Amino acid sequence: MSGLKQKTIAGLKWSAIERFATQGISFVISIIIARILSPADYGLIGMISIFIAVSNVFVGAGFGSALIRKQERTEEDCSTVFYYNIIVSILFYILLFIAAPWIADFYKSPELTNITRVVGLNIIIGAFGAIQSTKLSIAIDFKTQAKISLIVVIITGGVGLAMAYNGFGVWALVIQGLASAVLSSVLLWYLVRWNPLWVFSIRSFKELFGFGSKLMLSGLLDTIYSNIFQLIIGKKYLAVDLGYYTRAVGMVQLPSSNITGIIQRVTFPILSEIQHDTERLKKNYRRLLKMSAFIIFPIMVLLAALGKPLVLVLLTEKWLPAVPLMQVLCFSAMFYPIHAINLNLLQVKGRSDLFLRLEIIKKIMITLVLFASVPFGVLAMCYGTIVTSVVALIINTYYTGKLIQHGFMDQIKDITPMLAISLSAGLAAFLPTLFLSGNMIQIFTGVLAGGIIFLGLGYLLKLKEFNEIKTILLKQ
């Protein structure tokens, strides 16, 4: 086994452990908390998410990716980015603190003033551990990140649960998030032995910002549009409606966003090592593309098929209005890892200018679809995300075709077998929900039927991904 493949497998393994072990525990804790709190409590947190997310984009400014990509980075580079992160995070917290009453007035929710001011502290706290986290990614050391994440989620999850049980309402979510930021930064400083130099290099800043600024603008566009649904739903509809949407997104993101995150942060440093070998880059790119589809497609289709009994078992009947939203979102989110691999390739090739250009084009398209669907309700807005996800895939693959001669139609051919057997498995999983009674029976039978169909078809069609995953799991 080649050194690159070993690095990839080890990175994917520990990144997966970190993502799914921590997110799995976090998901269980959030389910318990959701059974205690009301949908409106989650709606309040969702209302301010866009302001926190936009602030974090400016604080990060694409410097993390710039450091990972730069093959001869220096301590001067890292120190410069560290001080930039701290200074900008403080400035944005001051802006949020001042703007908090206006945010509360915009949503007509007075309690948001104090909530915004406390949640905003996460921006400063997170900035203190950003370089340490980047250094772990550069070293492809996801084992240490897994340890940190597990410790954080267990301790802060306990804090959130205790506060929820004791009637703190939305503040259980606020303090849980704050405790998570503090503990993460403390552990990063303790486990990553790095101290900044007393230097801020204008030369380093200009060099890194030249690459990172375009990613920052792309990230800003992406962040605004990722959170604009919460902004519009929170303004136009009730907090409870936003709560249903937030919970639906949370259910969908557990598999989709985590798999996307694993792929993004492992493949970027790995592919960066072979950025100048186009044939080798293309070969590894295609393998990652097909493997991602093989993993994410059946998970998302099964989640959509078994959405109703899952919500009834996990969240109780009060969350049932979130089911159709979740089912629709599954079919847009299933393409997120494919988007991530395509965009990673542009960064690997140093084409952050193309990255930005694509984001602008996609956001114009998303805006048109969004405003066309808003008058028809939250569910119509979710259907609009399927349209935008498919169109975004076409746009993302345009420059991939230019850079490594593997464009949209080539990628569709790569992932079509996985999509076909996943839809077949989803149909097999959905049928028990129509004819059987009992939520647990429906879930068990649906997963069993869907799993048998998916694995059976994968075996019969002799998909390379099926055998490769089996081989990797047996060796690990």
Side-chain angles (χ1 to χ4, degrees):
M1 187 182 295
S2 69
L4 184 65
K5 188 172 181 180
Q6 285 181 319
K7 276 186 178 182
T8 303
I9 292 173
L12 287 170
K13 179 180 75 172
W14 282 107
S15 189
I17 289 172
E18 187 227 343
R19 284 278 180 167
F20 286 104
T22 58
Q23 292 296 322
I25 295 170
S26 179
F27 180 72
V28 171
I29 292 170
S30 72
I31 288 298
I32 299 171
I33 293 176
R35 294 170 71 97
I36 302 169
L37 303 182
S38 70
D41 291 326
Y42 284 87
L44 288 171
I45 297 297
M47 287 174 179
I48 62 171
S49 62
I50 188 169
F51 303 102
I52 304 300
V54 167
S55 299
N56 280 322
V57 170
F58 281 101
V59 172
F63 281 122
S65 294
L67 285 172
I68 291 172
R69 184 181 179 276
K70 186 176 181 181
Q71 295 186 337
E72 295 181 2
R73 69 194 71 83
T74 65
E75 287 302 307
E76 189 177 74
D77 294 329
C78 294
S79 299
T80 297
V81 174
F82 175 79
Y83 292 121
Y84 168 86
N85 290 341
I86 300 301
I87 293 168
V88 176
S89 68
I90 293 171
L91 291 175
F92 269 87
Y93 177 72
I94 293 171
L95 286 175
L96 274 178
F97 190 93
I98 295 170
W102 282 278
I103 294 172
D105 185 60
F106 175 79
Y107 288 114
K108 295 181 173 55
S109 299
E111 58 267 58
L112 281 179
T113 298
N114 290 330
I115 291 173
T116 302
R117 287 172 173 171
V118 175
V119 173
L121 290 170
N122 292 337
I123 299 168
I124 299 176
I125 298 166
F128 275 92
I131 291 297
Q132 286 84 345
S133 181
T134 299
K135 280 184 167 288
L136 290 175
S137 294
I138 291 169
I140 317 177
D141 184 2
F142 297 109
K143 183 175 181 179
T144 300
Q145 293 190 45
K147 292 177 182 177
I148 293 171
S149 297
L150 279 170
I151 294 170
V152 169
V153 75
I154 291 170
I155 293 176
T156 61
V159 171
L161 276 174
M163 293 190 69
Y165 270 118
N166 284 283
F168 283 89
V170 67
W171 285 98
L173 301 175
V174 173
I175 300 303
Q176 182 185 9
L178 189 64
S180 179
V182 171
L183 187 55
S184 293
S185 288
V186 169
L187 289 173
L188 281 167
W189 274 88
Y190 177 73
L191 294 173
V192 181
R193 299 298 182 179
W194 177 80
N195 291 307
L197 304 175
W198 290 102
V199 61
F200 185 94
S201 170
I202 299 299
R203 180 193 56 79
S204 289
F205 178 83
K206 287 181 177 179
E207 181 185 358
L208 295 170
F209 192 69
F211 179 83
S213 60
K214 299 178 186 68
L215 295 183
M216 180 186 73
L217 292 174
S218 301
L220 181 62
L221 285 171
D222 189 58
T223 298
I224 290 172
Y225 279 88
S226 296
N227 290 275
I228 199 169
F229 284 80
Q230 286 94 316
L231 181 72
I232 292 175
I233 295 169
K235 178 63 178 175
K236 188 173 177 60
Y237 301 100
L238 301 174
V240 68
D241 295 313
L242 180 54
Y244 293 136
Y245 175 79
T246 302
R247 178 45 47 190
V249 170
M251 294 281 284
V252 171
Q253 283 185 342
L254 178 66
S256 181
S257 290
N258 281 296
I259 290 174
T260 302
I262 292 166
I263 291 167
Q264 277 184 316
R265 64 182 187 165
V266 174
T267 59
F268 184 45
I270 290 292
L271 295 179
S272 291
E273 291 187 14
I274 54 173
Q275 57 186 281
H276 301 301
D277 188 341
T278 303
E279 284 303 313
R280 194 177 175 201
L281 185 63
K282 179 179 177 179
K283 180 182 177 181
N284 283 279
Y285 169 85
R286 290 190 64 199
R287 174 184 286 174
L288 290 166
L289 187 76
K290 291 190 281 187
M291 191 71 73
S292 299
F294 188 83
I295 295 170
I296 190 65
F297 284 1
I299 293 174
M300 301 312 296
V301 173
L302 286 175
L303 181 59
L306 300 172
K308 184 176 180 180
L310 278 170
V311 167
L312 285 171
V313 169
L314 296 175
L315 297 171
T316 72
E317 206 168 312
K318 69 181 178 181
W319 288 97
L320 266 181
V323 172
L325 307 180
M326 182 189 77
Q327 290 172 323
V328 173
L329 289 171
C330 281
F331 289 97
S332 63
M334 67 192 300
F335 292 105
Y336 288 175
I338 311 301
H339 295 315
I341 296 173
N342 277 278
L343 294 175
N344 257 359
L345 186 72
L346 295 182
Q347 295 185 62
V348 166
K349 284 292 191 178
R351 297 307 303 270
S352 56
D353 57 328
L354 298 182
F355 193 111
L356 175 58
R357 187 184 302 174
L358 287 179
E359 289 303 308
I360 293 172
I361 294 170
K362 286 187 294 183
K363 275 23 177 190
I364 292 172
M365 178 266 298
I366 291 171
T367 301
L368 295 174
V369 174
L370 178 60
F371 282 99
S373 60
V374 165
F376 301 99
V378 179
L379 184 59
M381 294 169 67
C382 292
Y383 274 110
T385 65
I386 298 178
V387 176
T388 57
S389 186
V390 173
V391 176
L393 182 63
I394 297 172
I395 296 171
N396 284 337
T397 54
Y398 175 77
Y399 283 113
T400 307
K402 296 286 187 183
L403 292 172
I404 61 169
Q405 290 74 53
H406 198 70
F408 177 72
M409 291 308 300
D410 295 315
Q411 293 190 39
I412 290 298
K413 289 177 185 177
D414 284 340
I415 65 176
T416 293
M418 278 68 80
L419 181 60
I421 65 175
S422 296
L423 292 174
S424 301
L427 178 61
F430 180 68
L431 290 175
T433 68
L434 299 177
F435 302 110
L436 298 178
S437 59
N439 296 318
M440 289 302 298
I441 294 175
Q442 290 177 356
I443 293 170
F444 176 78
T445 309
V447 170
L448 183 63
I452 290 172
I453 293 297
F454 182 79
L455 295 175
L457 289 174
Y459 178 77
L460 290 174
L461 294 174
K462 295 182 170 58
L463 295 181
K464 291 181 180 178
E465 293 69 37
F466 180 82
N467 291 323
E468 189 162 352
I469 287 179
K470 183 176 70 174
T471 301
I472 290 172
L473 289 175
L474 289 173
K475 286 184 177 180
Q476 293 302 313

